[in-house]
Amino acid sequence: MNLTKNTRRLAAALAVPVLLFTAAACGSDDSGSSDSKVKVEGKFGDKPDISAPKDAKAGDKVSTKTLVEGKGATVEKGAFVRLDYVGQAMKADKPLVSSWMSPTGGAEKGPRRQAVAQTGQPGRELPTKVLDEVVGKKAGSRIEVEGTAKALVGEELNPQAGVSPEDGLVWVIDIVGTQKVDPKSEAKGEQAKPDSGMPEVKAAPQKAAEITIPKDEKAPTDLKQQLLIKGDGAEVKAGDGLIAQYTGVKWEDGKKFDSSWDHGGATAFQIGTGSVVQGWDKGLVGKHVGDRVELVIPPKLAYEGQSQSGLDKNTLVFVVDIVGKV
């Protein structure tokens, strides 16, 4: 369900359902209060059951309370987080959006798709004002955030969502993990020479990588990958929130179409759950924090069939520095 007017798409990311909004301004503090009498049942990690009386009414300011106090690291402003979430209108008896309803990464018992985001930045799965409420809370906590759609989403509320500005919304968020990473982080170490048929990579510090496509070489029809720098950090597992620098070019003309360095540095996304193109899921699960990986991804594992991407017929070449996970 995509209820936004439009949304900024990372070059590496698939279209992800987002609730009600395109972007939002800064968040609020915890000073709001609500007498909506919303009831939330369920423990951390389990799908919450949200109910409200018919006359429930949200306050016109953001109201947040901690339902379960976690014992993990405290979420800092600017830190990356991985979250389970449910967003529901108070007048409704079922969620508008929920990570517990989302598809897994293709395996029947695989990890489900969760929100991975950076606090202090515009949210994708959650409105920014809702996302900002996790700052200062501890990993392992479950929080409840309430307010009118106007208070939580503001002027970016999509009229097609079926929610009016004065309707009450309630979000229940489980803070699965948090990690603070310098947005200018990058892989360190001696870089391997390109394997036969692989593009050449020149990666100057703090800049988008320069990627040169080999002359007279046909684009591969299957995923090709090479470990350029071997890191010594934790292994990347399906379901992790991956924090990375990346640069992408088109095999056909060698032109760059996106880079994290063009957007302020390291970004985060969930891996192994279909949240990014298949070539990333297949090529990055099993790698390690500190690795620099080159991926050559044919259209069938990238944007084939997604004409709106503008990359649906292209073989894509990525250089990815894995700088952390959450």
Side-chain angles (χ1 to χ4, degrees), residues 25-36:
C26 296
S28 66
D29 57 28
D30 291 346
S31 60
S33 61
S34 173
D35 58 358
S36 66

Side-chain angles (χ1 to χ4, degrees), residues 33-38 53 55-59 63 90 146:
S33 61
S34 173
D35 58 358
S36 66
K37 298 181 175 62
V38 170
D55 60 350
K57 186 176 181 180
S63 172
M90 290 181 183
E146 294 182 21

Side-chain angles (χ1 to χ4, degrees), residues 189-194 200-203 228-229 292 319:
E190 185 176 352
Q191 182 173 288
K193 295 181 179 180
E200 182 181 358
V201 176
K202 293 182 179 179
L228 297 178
I229 294 178
R292 173 172 291 162
V319 175

Side-chain angles (χ1 to χ4, degrees), residues 39-56:
K39 185 177 181 180
V40 178
E41 295 181 299
K43 62 183 181 179
F44 178 91
D46 290 344
K47 180 181 177 181
D49 181 30
I50 303 171
S51 59
K54 293 181 179 180
D55 60 350

Side-chain angles (χ1 to χ4, degrees), residues 27-315:
S28 66
D29 57 28
D30 291 346
S31 60
S33 61
S34 173
D35 58 358
S36 66
K37 298 181 175 62
V38 170
K39 185 177 181 180
V40 178
E41 295 181 299
K43 62 183 181 179
F44 178 91
D46 290 344
K47 180 181 177 181
D49 181 30
I50 303 171
S51 59
K54 293 181 179 180
D55 60 350
K57 186 176 181 180
D60 58 3
K61 293 184 179 180
V62 179
S63 172
T64 303
K65 59 183 176 181
T66 299
L67 304 178
V68 176
E69 180 72 37
K71 297 181 179 180
T74 300
V75 179
E76 300 179 41
K77 186 174 182 179
F80 294 93
V81 291
R82 181 157 56 94
L83 311 169
D84 270 313
Y85 61 93
V86 171
Q88 185 169 318
M90 290 181 183
K91 65 180 182 180
D93 59 358
K94 61 180 180 179
L96 289 163
V97 68
S98 169
S99 62
W100 279 274
M101 299 190 322
S102 65
T104 66
E108 184 177 344
K109 295 184 180 180
R112 64 177 170 273
R113 188 179 293 177
Q114 298 168 316
V116 175
Q118 185 178 15
T119 61
Q121 299 295 322
R124 294 196 296 272
E125 293 91 346
L126 286 74
T128 306
K129 289 185 179 181
V130 175
L131 175 61
D132 283 351
E133 294 302 307
V134 306
V135 175
K137 309 300 190 298
K138 293 181 180 294
S141 295
R142 168 169 285 186
I143 67 171
E144 177 186 346
V145 184
E146 294 182 21
T148 62
K150 181 179 180 180
L152 294 178
V153 186
E155 295 180 357
E156 297 299 325
L157 180 65
N158 188 341
Q160 297 180 355
V163 176
S164 72
E166 303 308 318
D167 284 343
L169 298 178
V170 56
W171 289 78
V172 177
I173 301 169
D174 284 1
I175 305 172
V176 180
T178 182
Q179 183 68 47
K180 189 71 178 288
V181 172
D182 183 348
K184 301 301 182 182
S185 297
E186 54 192 337
K188 301 290 186 181
E190 185 176 352
Q191 182 173 288
K193 295 181 179 180
D195 291 340
S196 177
M198 291 291 283
E200 182 181 358
V201 176
K202 293 182 179 179
Q206 309 293 296
K207 293 182 179 180
E210 294 183 8
I211 302 171
T212 303
I213 307 301
K215 292 182 179 181
D216 302 321
E217 189 83 26
K218 290 184 178 180
T221 57
D222 293 311
L223 175 68
K224 299 294 183 183
Q225 56 180 295
Q226 182 181 356
L227 185 63
L228 297 178
I229 294 178
K230 182 176 177 58
D232 58 4
E235 181 181 353
V236 176
K237 299 180 180 179
D240 283 342
L242 198 65
I243 307 169
Q245 306 284 6
Y246 69 90
T247 299
V249 305
K250 293 177 286 185
W251 179 284
E252 290 73 15
D253 59 13
K255 291 184 178 180
K256 181 184 71 172
F257 58 86
D258 200 12
S259 175
S260 59
W261 294 105
D262 298 335
H263 306 297
T267 188
F269 46 87
Q270 195 178 26
I271 198 74
T273 60
S275 299
V276 291
V277 294
Q278 292 183 60
W280 281 48
D281 278 345
K282 291 177 179 292
L284 297 179
V285 171
K287 299 299 190 293
H288 293 79
V289 175
D291 285 353
R292 173 172 291 162
V293 184
E294 182 177 21
L295 301 172
V296 181
I297 306 175
K300 65 183 179 182
L301 298 178
Y303 292 108
E304 188 174 76
Q306 299 181 53
S307 59
Q308 73 279 8
S309 70
L311 300 169
D312 53 311
K313 297 180 180 180
N314 293 110
T315 295

